Structures are given as C-alpha cells and as structure tokens.
Amino acid sequence: RGLSWGHASRAMVVKGKKADGTPVKAWKSQPCRLYVKGAILGFKRGLRNQHEGTSLIKIEGLQDKKDVDFYLGKRVVYIYKAIREVQGTKFRTIWGRVTRAHGSNGTVRAKFARNLPAKSMGGKCRVMLYPSRV
Amino acid sequence: MPATTARKAGKRSVSKAKKVVRKVLSRTKIGKKAPHNESATVGRSASYKRSGKWAVKAKNKGKFPVVKAPAKKEEAKTKAPRFYAAEDVPKPFNRRNVVKPAKLRDSITPGTVLILLAGRFRGKRVVFLKQLPSGLLMVTGPYKVNGVPIRRVNQAFVIATTTKVDVTGVDVAKFDDAYFAKAAVKKSKNADEFFATAKPTEELSPARKADQKAVDSKILAAVKKQEFLKPYLNSRFSLSKGQNPHAMVF
C-alpha cells in the first residue's frame, strides 16, 4: 500500500493583484489530512523491562479510555526518511494497527509489522481513519 | 434352625429391598439415569419401570415401535481403474466455510454521501449507489461535480455521512464486478513479442462514458435541488486542528 506525498506540500498560487500592486496568493490545492496525529511514547514496559513488540501511542485529542473505541483497529504508520531511494522515494514506512487502550487517559497500544526502532520514541506517527466502522 | 433363620433373614432382607426400591423409585424419575447410590440395587421390573419403555409402549398401542432398518444401498460395481498415479495425488480439503460478501453497514444506503479515506480520490465526497456481489461498494462522484467516475470502493475505506441524495430512478442493475474488472493482458511468450507490443493505452471506451452519463444525469438533477450540495460534493474532507474524529458526527 503506497504512501502518497502528493498533497504533502501545498503550493501557493498568485491570483491577481491588490490595488497597491502586491500579489494575492492562494492555496493551489485543498487541504486533505485524513489521519490523526499521534506521538510515539515508547514501548510497553514495566519499570525495568521493556517489550518492544508493542508500542505506546498518544493520539492527539484522545484523553479518555471510553473514546478509544473509535480508534481500535485503525492502521498506524510511522514514516521516516533514509538516504537511499527505495521504490522511487526516500520516505519509508512501518505500518501497524491500534490494538487496545493503554491506561485510562487515552493512550493506546499499537503493534507494528516490524518493531519500531528506538529512535522513533518521541517521534510522530499517523493514525489513519481506516478500516472505518462508522 | 439355620433354615428358619435364613428364611427369616431372607424375609427381612426382601422387605428391606422393597423399601430401598420404593425409595429409589420415589427419588428417581422415569427415564433418568440410575442414582450413584451403589447400594440401591433395583430389580428387573423396577428398572423397566424406571426406563420408561412402558410409556413408549402405551403410546404405541401396546407394542414397542419397530423401526425398519433402511434398505441397504446396492453399491455401484466399479471397474478397477486403468491408470494409477505414480505418486499420491493430494486431495484438497473440504471447505465448509463459504466466503460471504461483507455486510453493508446500516449507515450506508443508496444515495448516502460517503467520504473516501484512501486511494486516488482520498478525501472526496461521493454518492453511494449499490453494493456489488463481491461486497465492494459502487460509487460515483458524480463525475462532473468532483471528477470521480463510477468506481468500486471497499467499505472499510469509507466513512458514511448522514447526508443523502435522492437516487431513486437511477438504473444500476447492469453493473456488477465483471464490468469493473481489469481487462486481462495477453501474456506474450517470447521476448520480441514482449517488446514489440505497445502497452495497451488507457483510453476510455465510449460505452463507459455513456454509462457514466446515464448514471450521473439523474443524480445531478437531485444534487441541484439541495442547497450547497454541489460545492459540498466538490470539496474534500480534511481534519484540521482541534477536530477529533471520535467526537465527530459525520
């Protein structure tokens, strides 16, 4: 499943001029964010041992355990850059899914196809809106 | 002396047995299993009574019902096969589960406006027409409004909104999965043929364009009737700051 960056950078276009001659700019394309921003907190762990198979994700705007139900099963993607181009892009992805709530304040557990690298801790991920049950 | 005592003992033991039988029969119901109590030896008649066979007999007019054994089927005489495979041919397992098409969500009815979540037209709002036999959903932009042609989409990649468009009168009976299937590309066998044949051009057949027009004409008329529905279908869905999908009503 490809990750398209087609709408990542929205270009501005000049649309005419104002009375004093300064150009009027407007966005060329419509905004289209179809994911919820998430922060990768780290791995599931006790105080002294961590289990890298499950990552903890903090989803923006999610503050209660009772609201987590919407996000269960949703696909999550961690995106990172590399120097070498693979399949036409320098961006690489690790896909996963939200598996369950973690605690009572909206944190969520996710399992990825491959365990996330340690450098992802504190990084961003995208929680997509599919598979949708709405 | 021993005989009398034995008789006496026998009499006593019989009465005791009777008492036990009565106790057992009063405790147990007819037809149920014998109690675990090992000492409760029940005689033939008592056990017959307990088994309930007398009730079956009474129901069948005094005789126990006889069930005729089914006639033995004459096995078809097969000849010995002329050919035996050198190695065992693996037999496929019996598949008992039938793959059914995905159940359509209650929120999706013909005419519902759906938001596409992935694919080329992600974020676009489209009109749902019908569910195809494979379970995929058939949708259309309409094409003139937002550039989405008649297309198939998976239910899991779609959010159903509460906005509805009137699509009564739109004839979608002829569309099925075969209509949307990709044309099979002829595999070329030798290298020369592979490089010689140009890749099939992505020209849309006039039949497809006509189908698009036929489906869209009625929908466009319905879209025009609702205020703001056309610019709504033209715009893309997007999340912005402060918007939480779990709290949104679509």
Side-chain angles (χ1 to χ4, degrees), chain A residues 96-112:
Chain A
R97 284 176 195 256
V98 172
T99 54
R100 52 176 284 188
H102 180 81
S104 50
N105 294 313
T107 316
V108 128
R109 294 189 201 178
K111 274 185 158 276
F112 287 83

Side-chain angles (χ1 to χ4, degrees), chain B residues 137-180:
Chain B
L137 312 180
M138 177 184 153
V139 296
T140 183
Y143 185 73
K144 283 237 180 246
V145 174
N146 53 19
V148 181
I150 334 175
R151 213 162 192 269
R152 288 189 297 180
V153 76
N154 192 315
Q155 221 188 141
F157 294 89
V158 138
I159 286 182
T161 65
T162 46
T163 311
K164 307 251 187 260
V165 177
D166 184 20
V167 290
T168 52
V170 178
D171 183 22
V172 286
K174 71 171 226 179
F175 296 103
D176 63 346
D177 292 294
Y179 177 91
F180 294 102

Side-chain angles (χ1 to χ4, degrees), chain A residues 39-45 50-52 54-58 107-110 112 116-118 120-123:
Chain A
I40 301 170
L41 303 178
F43 301 118
K44 172 183 158 208
R45 58 179 299 170
Q50 71 181 14
H51 306 281
E52 300 89 4
T54 307
S55 295
L56 305 178
I57 310 283
K58 182 124 200 87
T107 316
V108 128
R109 294 189 201 178
F112 287 83
L116 289 182
S120 67
M121 295 207 289

Side-chain angles (χ1 to χ4, degrees), chain A residues 18-31:
Chain A
K18 280 198 264 197
D20 59 356
T22 50
V24 172
K25 290 203 269 184
W27 294 108
K28 191 179 176 194
S29 62
Q30 289 182 22

Side-chain angles (χ1 to χ4, degrees), chain A residues 30-31 33 61 71 130 132 134, chain B residues 105 156-158 236 238-239 246:
Chain A
Q30 289 182 22
R33 175 162 69 87
Y71 296 96
Y130 51 83
S132 161
V134 168
Chain B
R105 268 181 255 150
F157 294 89
V158 138
R236 278 191 129 110
S238 175
L239 290 172
H246 67 265

Side-chain angles (χ1 to χ4, degrees), chain B residues 10-189:
Chain B
K11 264 193 181 169
R12 251 186 269 135
S13 63
V14 165
S15 67
K16 246 192 189 174
K18 267 193 183 166
K19 278 185 192 165
V20 170
V21 166
R22 268 186 225 139
K23 226 182 185 178
V24 161
L25 282 178
S26 67
R27 264 191 275 131
T28 59
K29 294 193 182 143
I30 289 172
K32 297 281 177 178
K33 271 198 205 166
H36 280 294
N37 194 357
E38 291 296 310
S39 62
T41 46
V42 176
R44 232 189 191 189
S45 58
S47 70
Y48 172 78
K49 199 166 193 171
R50 192 206 283 135
S51 74
K53 281 186 180 172
W54 56 270
V56 177
K57 255 192 173 180
K59 213 177 183 183
N60 207 47
K61 296 175 196 167
K63 282 191 194 162
F64 207 77
V66 175
V67 177
K68 278 194 178 163
K72 269 194 177 175
K73 285 189 200 161
E74 272 282 326
E75 275 193 45
K77 291 189 180 168
T78 48
K79 277 191 184 169
R82 293 177 73 204
F83 170 75
Y84 288 96
E87 287 165 13
D88 282 335
V89 177
K91 228 172 66 164
F93 287 112
N94 289 332
R95 287 176 173 272
R96 284 190 296 176
N97 58 324
V98 182
V99 180
K100 289 186 282 187
K103 178 175 173 280
L104 195 63
R105 268 181 255 150
D106 289 335
S107 51
I108 303 178
T109 58
T112 309
V113 173
L114 308 173
I115 301 172
L116 301 180
L117 296 173
R120 188 179 157 190
F121 299 104
R122 66 183 78 82
K124 293 268 192 189
R125 295 171 165 105
V126 295
V127 178
F128 167 69
L129 294 171
K130 77 167 187 180
Q131 184 179 31
L132 299 168
S134 66
L136 297 172
L137 312 180
M138 177 184 153
V139 296
T140 183
Y143 185 73
K144 283 237 180 246
V145 174
N146 53 19
V148 181
I150 334 175
R151 213 162 192 269
R152 288 189 297 180
V153 76
N154 192 315
Q155 221 188 141
F157 294 89
V158 138
I159 286 182
T161 65
T162 46
T163 311
K164 307 251 187 260
V165 177
D166 184 20
V167 290
T168 52
V170 178
D171 183 22
V172 286
K174 71 171 226 179
F175 296 103
D176 63 346
D177 292 294
Y179 177 91
F180 294 102
K182 279 191 188 162
V185 180
K186 193 184 86 174
K187 282 188 187 168
S188 49
K189 298 233 166 141

Side-chain angles (χ1 to χ4, degrees), chain A residues 1 4 6-7 30-36 60-63 67 70-71 75 128-134, chain B residues 105 107 115-118 122-123 155-160 234-241 243-246 250:
Chain A
R1 227 151 291 192
S4 167
H7 297 282
Q30 289 182 22
C32 193
R33 175 162 69 87
L34 292 170
Y35 58 86
V36 186
E60 192 182 46
L62 187 56
Q63 283 158 348
D67 298 327
F70 174 87
Y71 296 96
R75 308 203 73 205
M128 312 308 285
L129 295 175
Y130 51 83
S132 161
R133 288 176 287 135
V134 168
Chain B
R105 268 181 255 150
S107 51
I115 301 172
L116 301 180
L117 296 173
R122 66 183 78 82
Q155 221 188 141
F157 294 89
V158 138
I159 286 182
N234 197 3
S235 65
R236 278 191 129 110
F237 173 80
S238 175
L239 290 172
S240 76
K241 191 173 172 182
Q243 287 187 324
N244 303 320
H246 67 265
F250 288 99

